Amino acid sequence: MDLFSATVHGELRLGASLTIGEYLLPYYLGDFINKYPNVSLMMKIYNSHQIIEKLINQEIDLGFIEATIPHKSIESIPFLEDELVIISSVAHHFPLLEKEAIQPEDLFSLPIIMREKGSGTRQVLEENLLNSNFDPNNLNVILELENTESIKSAVKSGLGVSIISKTAIIKETDLGILRKTNINGVNLKRYFYILNKKQILSPACDAFRELFLSSCR
């Protein structure tokens, strides 16, 4: 531990969307704790709109979200490209999804398990369907869940299909439990963003942001 690391102290409050908080951010927390042991680190999961609100109200110091939500008092930096894919159970038969990609109109005939309104994943899907001249209100949404693991469990059981980050299903696709399928002509690529309020950052906040971004690069 160098002299600068020893002088950085205080509390650092992080707010992360579900995908980033569960499947990405934990890998970086250990490095920071080892380098800055005098910082008390706390991370909580919120949806994207809640993170913006908590940053504005100074309830958290840094936010991590899956879709851009512009706000005049918030600075956002993209740090990683991601892509949404259709996921379905390998054990339960959805003939449409045995192909590598389906046509956009095919999506509307499938029983879909969705994230709640306000989530970055749902925002990206709905915006890109609209950009491709499809109305997301016509999707056959049979269930809404706020937890990615619950969504994956429901899909594994054959209840329906879902559209989530490919980052969240690496283990299941490697094990042959879940299948991923793309949608032809609909761009579901996105960036993950790190956010902070436009103000002078605390030493702990600045140190985490710099360490995190340098690791991502």
Side-chain angles (χ1 to χ4, degrees):
M1 182 171 64
D2 59 32
L3 183 60
F4 174 74
S5 298
T7 63
V8 177
H9 63 277
E11 185 181 60
L12 181 59
R13 303 160 302 171
L14 309 178
S17 65
L18 192 61
T19 300
I20 299 172
E22 284 193 348
Y23 302 103
L24 187 63
L25 201 52
Y27 293 101
Y28 295 91
L29 300 182
D31 286 344
F32 181 81
I33 291 168
N34 288 333
K35 189 168 184 180
Y36 299 98
N38 296 324
V39 175
S40 174
L41 194 60
M42 180 184 71
M43 183 189 76
K44 289 192 175 181
I45 302 294
Y46 305 104
N47 70 37
S48 298
H49 289 279
Q50 289 171 330
I51 288 170
I52 295 293
E53 182 180 318
K54 289 182 180 295
L55 275 171
I56 293 168
N57 294 333
Q58 298 184 312
E59 296 175 49
I60 58 174
D61 304 298
L62 288 173
F64 299 82
I65 66 173
E66 305 158 26
T68 53
I69 304 177
H71 192 281
K72 62 183 180 180
S73 68
I74 301 295
E75 177 184 11
S76 64
I77 302 173
F79 66 85
L80 185 70
E81 187 179 72
D82 182 47
E83 185 176 13
L84 301 182
V85 292
I86 304 171
I87 65 165
S88 59
S89 170
V90 171
H92 296 83
H93 204 50
F94 286 94
L96 268 177
L97 301 181
E98 292 180 358
K99 299 174 284 186
E100 187 174 328
I102 63 171
Q103 297 305 314
E105 53 270 24
D106 293 334
L107 181 64
F108 293 85
S109 67
L110 294 167
I112 297 179
I113 302 160
M114 287 279 280
R115 283 290 308 278
E116 81 285 1
K117 289 187 181 295
S119 75
T121 296
R122 185 158 182 164
Q123 179 187 336
V124 169
L125 173 63
E126 291 179 346
E127 286 178 355
N128 283 287
L129 284 175
L130 286 170
N131 290 339
S132 300
N133 298 314
F134 291 96
D135 185 354
N137 291 317
N138 292 331
L139 291 170
N140 178 25
V141 179
I142 61 167
L143 182 63
E144 291 186 3
L145 295 170
E146 296 184 358
N147 184 285
T148 302
E149 290 302 314
S150 298
I151 288 175
K152 290 194 292 184
S153 295
V155 170
K156 289 174 194 175
S157 75
L159 181 61
V161 306
S162 189
I163 300 162
I164 63 174
S165 166
K166 65 180 183 182
T167 304
I169 57 161
I170 293 171
K171 180 177 70 175
E172 289 82 2
T173 52
D174 285 347
L175 291 173
I177 298 170
L178 292 177
R179 176 187 289 113
K180 62 181 179 181
T181 308
N182 294 312
I183 307 172
N184 283 327
V186 178
N187 178 16
L188 291 178
K189 290 185 177 180
R190 61 179 179 179
Y191 279 95
F192 292 152
Y193 293 84
I194 182 171
L195 313 177
N196 58 267
K197 199 165 182 183
K198 291 179 180 176
Q199 59 187 21
I200 297 174
L201 302 181
S202 70
C205 188
D206 190 50
F208 187 93
R209 191 177 73 159
E210 292 309 308
L211 183 65
F212 180 79
L213 290 173
S214 64
S215 298
C216 288
R217 295 189 193 106

